[in-house]
Amino acid sequence: MRTTAKAWRLLPHDAPVIDELASSLRTERIVAQLLYNRGVASADAARRFLDASLSGLHSPELLPGVADAADRIYRAVKEARKICIYGDYDVDGITGTTLLVQCLRLLGATNVEFYVPHRLEEGYGLNADALRQIALNGAQVVVTVDCGICSHVEADVARQLGLELIITDHHEPKASLPAAAAVVHPRLPGGAYPFGHLCGAAVAFKLAWALCQKASGGGPRVAEHFKHFLVDGVALVALGTVADCVPLHDENRIFVRHGLARLPHVPSLGLKALLTAAGLHEKATLRATDISFGLAPRLNASSRLGCARLLLELLTTTNHERANTLARFLDGQNEQRQQIERRILTEARAQIETLDLEKHPALVLIGPEWHVGVIGIVASRLVEQYARPVLMIALRHERGDTAVVGQGSGRSFADFPLHEALAACDEHLLGHGGHKAAAGFRIQPEKIDAFREQFCAQALTRLGTKPPAPRLTIDAEAPLSALTFGLVKQLDRLEPYGMENRRPLFLTGGLQVTGTPRRVGGGERHLRFQIAQNRKPLWAIAFGHGENLDELMSDQGRCCLAYTPRINEWQGRRSLELEVADFQAGPEARLV
């Protein structure tokens, strides 16, 4: 039985507006309702949303700081100065770093290197030791990707070392900017960029686009070989965008829509090998979920386990054998990451079982052998299960230090801004950073008990004695008879799905489980079962609900499902099935 059941909310809708929108678009009413639910209420806005044309990308010259950065980098290339691209270790940072390295080589740069910090030994962002080593290696220009916007001390170190530092980032800036030679960011104070939610790879893409324009004479058009490079580069931006969980509307929707279409056709041997390793190489149409659950975990696994530089090598190698070797290695790393994740999840749940949850509005858990790169994923799963903010602390020795330090990672939800709660507990921490839903921190072991007490007090103040149940937002109620291949094809027009364009969810009640449900997948984590309504049967898959089998059958198999319909293709056969987000036992749904 689940610790905390989700509260189901069925979205209200304005029937006249939806009818008018459906008529204007000449589409099914359900598609118009889904657009309305996502804040797209006019025909013009809906057409822009559904078309997602590449021509809708904003000109790079609008991006604050990009003109100055492009001038400086282009001049450095022409002067044959050594340039180092310093990228973050996650998928967003690696794909953006790959884009800039490839762009500079296409521009004719012969002295380009890259630097990716070690996740476990160096941590996130610019660090002074790395800058000193980069300067020692002869670099004169350092361009960051997906990091640096808060690196005031490091920018000062770069200036002292004689490095020309150019920062490209998308994270939240502080009240003042680092003293870099140039800063490129979609939300710079005083800027007016039309869309402020680009990921780091997209910011790097806009800089690459500006460099291509500069190399093509300075106008808006680019030479043909640069155009091919940029079109292929959209695939890398799609990877970074989906993996970084930025809102999938406006430019991000365009990047992902066209990047997914381009991904199987890019010349990158590494991406082709990765598609094969993920079992996606023969798939007719790639979706954002293929990145989320197929490609990004393999790319991120190596980063989480400390080998991020291999990701960049995979994306840039021109050797077939090396590409296949690296892809297989990343696949193995992902399996290892999953095993580590399952072990930590089991140990964390064992700790929670010893607690009186009524007295713990937040969870602060400690593991002396937990892997720093994986605890954030586990924290996300625990937030989902226990409906509480969760902090997980791994105790470890930092590089060059015999003292044990707690490295923490936390996850939360909209009602509890994690970064604010950590700031309120700042006196107990060595450092912290992040945003509302996710954050990281460092702490001395002897401070953990006092920190836990203060953090839980913050949760009690903000959430009360009983944290709110997680909410599941449902778009529409529909009988099984309404589910057709034509409807699913219409729903495809709303792809790609992701943050702020979630997959549509339907509600159907009065269902009966037929036959015997089965636990499937690694660790029997998923449920597969057949349901029927008015003699219409359909198969359903409920990912992550393997342990909830008894609950599903608790009312003699009568249930209500919240789900997304999809087409399952297997051995040349196509069938409709339901991908279940949640279920309630009983014939009628309980809504809030």
Side-chain angles (χ1 to χ4, degrees):
M1 187 71 67
R2 284 171 285 183
T3 304
T4 304
K6 292 182 178 178
W8 289 13
R9 174 176 177 256
L10 183 63
L11 287 175
H13 61 279
D14 188 322
V17 172
I18 291 169
D19 289 338
E20 182 178 349
L21 188 59
S23 176
S24 299
L25 297 174
R26 297 182 179 179
T27 189
E28 291 192 27
R29 190 179 186 278
I30 189 65
V31 175
Q33 182 172 337
L34 293 170
L35 288 167
Y36 176 83
N37 288 351
R38 283 148 185 77
V40 183
S42 73
D44 287 343
R47 291 188 185 96
R48 286 195 300 272
F49 182 91
L50 295 173
D51 292 344
S53 170
L54 271 176
S55 63
L57 291 176
H58 305 304
S59 172
E61 66 188 18
L62 299 176
L63 187 62
V66 81
D68 186 20
D71 285 343
R72 291 174 177 276
I73 295 171
Y74 191 72
R75 185 165 59 248
V77 171
K78 292 305 177 185
E79 294 173 354
R81 300 166 69 198
K82 188 172 185 178
I83 303 172
C84 178
I85 308 299
Y86 189 115
D88 186 27
Y89 44 64
D90 66 3
V91 175
D92 188 20
I94 293 295
T95 50
T97 299
T98 301
L99 273 167
L100 285 184
V101 169
Q102 291 177 337
C103 179
L104 294 181
R105 289 173 179 168
L106 194 60
L107 290 171
T110 57
N111 209 359
V112 180
E113 65 177 16
F114 63 84
Y115 187 91
V116 179
H118 193 285
R119 183 182 193 126
L120 305 182
E121 295 182 358
E122 297 175 85
Y124 167 76
L126 278 175
N127 72 79
D129 288 342
L131 289 172
R132 293 186 185 97
Q133 187 60 50
I134 289 168
L136 193 63
N137 290 341
Q140 298 163 286
V141 180
V142 175
V143 184
T144 74
V145 175
D146 195 31
C147 62
I149 195 62
C150 297
S151 300
H152 294 75
V153 172
E154 291 77 11
D156 292 339
V157 170
R159 187 174 64 254
Q160 293 164 10
L161 293 168
L163 294 171
E164 185 175 1
L165 178 63
I166 297 169
I167 291 173
T168 79
D169 201 352
H170 73 115
H171 293 97
E172 198 63 33
K174 293 183 178 180
S176 61
L177 298 177
V183 178
V184 183
H185 193 291
R187 299 188 306 280
L188 280 187
Y193 193 67
F195 181 65
H197 301 289
L198 298 176
C199 70
V203 174
F205 178 88
K206 290 299 181 82
L207 177 56
W209 186 357
L211 285 166
C212 291
Q213 288 178 329
K214 198 164 189 64
S216 301
R221 300 181 67 87
V222 300
E224 196 66 18
H225 63 297
F226 290 130
K227 179 180 178 180
H228 290 309
F229 161 72
L230 292 170
V231 170
D232 286 340
V234 170
L236 289 173
V237 179
L239 286 174
T241 299
V242 174
D244 217 51
C245 297
V246 288
L248 281 193
H249 53 80
D250 202 279
E251 285 192 290
N252 289 341
R253 178 173 172 79
I254 297 170
F255 277 127
V256 177
R257 166 77 69 84
H258 292 274
L260 286 168
R262 190 62 195 155
L263 195 55
H265 309 291
V266 295
S268 168
L269 299 178
L271 283 177
K272 292 182 185 300
L274 190 66
L275 287 168
T276 300
L280 300 171
H281 57 297
E282 294 183 347
K283 192 171 182 181
T285 302
L286 293 178
R287 303 189 185 279
T289 50
D290 293 320
I291 294 179
S292 300
F293 300 109
L295 301 180
R298 287 168 171 80
L299 290 168
N300 258 330
S302 182
S303 163
R304 292 186 183 280
L305 300 182
C307 308
R309 289 178 64 88
L310 293 178
L311 307 185
L312 204 144
E313 184 182 352
L314 173 77
L315 297 177
T316 57
T317 184
T318 57
N319 183 292
H320 281 273
E321 185 176 349
R322 183 60 176 163
N324 291 328
T325 298
L326 287 170
R328 287 193 297 268
F329 175 77
L330 294 181
D331 198 41
Q333 291 285 97
N334 188 48
E335 292 180 4
Q336 182 181 347
R337 187 270 307 167
Q338 291 172 332
Q339 293 172 1
I340 295 172
E341 178 187 328
R342 286 195 288 268
R343 175 180 61 79
I344 296 176
L345 182 60
T346 300
E347 293 174 1
R349 284 173 172 166
Q351 287 189 32
I352 295 170
E353 287 175 2
T354 67
L355 303 175
D356 180 356
L357 290 179
E358 293 294 328
K359 299 178 180 178
H360 288 79
L363 298 172
V364 181
L365 311 173
I366 310 168
E369 297 181 359
W370 286 350
H371 197 292
V372 173
V374 178
I375 54 177
I377 304 175
V378 178
S380 295
R381 298 191 184 283
L382 295 175
V383 169
E384 178 80 8
Q385 180 177 358
Y386 295 96
R388 287 161 171 75
V390 176
L391 302 182
M392 300 191 66
I393 303 173
L395 301 179
R396 59 189 296 269
H397 293 280
E398 296 195 330
R399 186 174 62 170
D401 194 346
T402 58
V404 174
V405 173
Q407 186 75 40
S409 186
R411 297 294 185 271
S412 186
F413 40 79
D415 295 321
F416 189 81
L418 197 54
H419 64 308
E420 292 181 8
L422 288 177
C425 304
D426 184 71
E427 63 186 288
H428 301 297
L429 301 175
L430 294 172
H432 60 88
H435 50 81
K436 290 183 178 180
F441 59 95
R442 294 168 62 249
I443 187 171
Q444 293 173 336
E446 61 271 20
K447 297 287 187 70
I448 291 176
D449 288 341
F451 166 70
R452 178 191 285 112
E453 183 176 347
Q454 189 172 2
F455 185 79
C456 286
Q458 283 289 317
L460 182 64
T461 300
R462 295 170 184 264
L463 300 175
T465 55
K466 188 176 182 180
R471 179 169 291 185
L472 190 72
T473 302
I474 300 171
D475 288 286
E477 192 167 6
L480 290 190
S481 59
L483 307 182
T484 64
F485 286 100
L487 173 62
V488 175
K489 186 176 181 180
Q490 285 287 315
L491 295 180
D492 284 347
R493 299 185 66 193
L494 275 71
E495 288 271 8
Y497 299 130
M499 181 177 284
E500 297 188 15
N501 182 36
R502 57 184 178 76
R503 298 172 66 209
L505 282 179
F506 298 110
L507 164 62
T508 303
L511 297 172
Q512 178 66 51
V513 177
T514 60
T516 304
R518 294 185 295 117
R519 292 185 174 99
V520 297
E524 297 187 333
R525 292 180 297 135
H526 316 308
L527 276 182
R528 183 163 178 77
F529 55 97
Q530 192 175 52
I531 46 88
Q533 183 186 58
N534 297 328
R535 298 183 180 180
K536 180 180 175 66
L538 280 178
W539 281 100
I541 180 74
F543 293 112
H545 283 277
E547 61 187 20
N548 302 321
L549 173 57
D550 291 343
E551 182 181 352
L552 175 67
M553 302 301 293
S554 63
D555 193 356
Q556 299 178 329
R558 295 183 297 177
C559 64
C560 305
L561 299 183
Y563 62 88
T564 300
R566 71 178 192 179
I567 298 174
N568 184 29
E569 299 186 20
W570 176 251
Q571 295 181 341
R573 297 180 61 184
R574 301 169 75 243
S575 61
L576 279 176
E577 73 173 21
L578 310 183
E579 185 171 329
V580 177
D582 198 16
F583 63 81
Q584 292 180 355
E588 296 185 5
R590 299 174 294 279
L591 303 174
V592 295

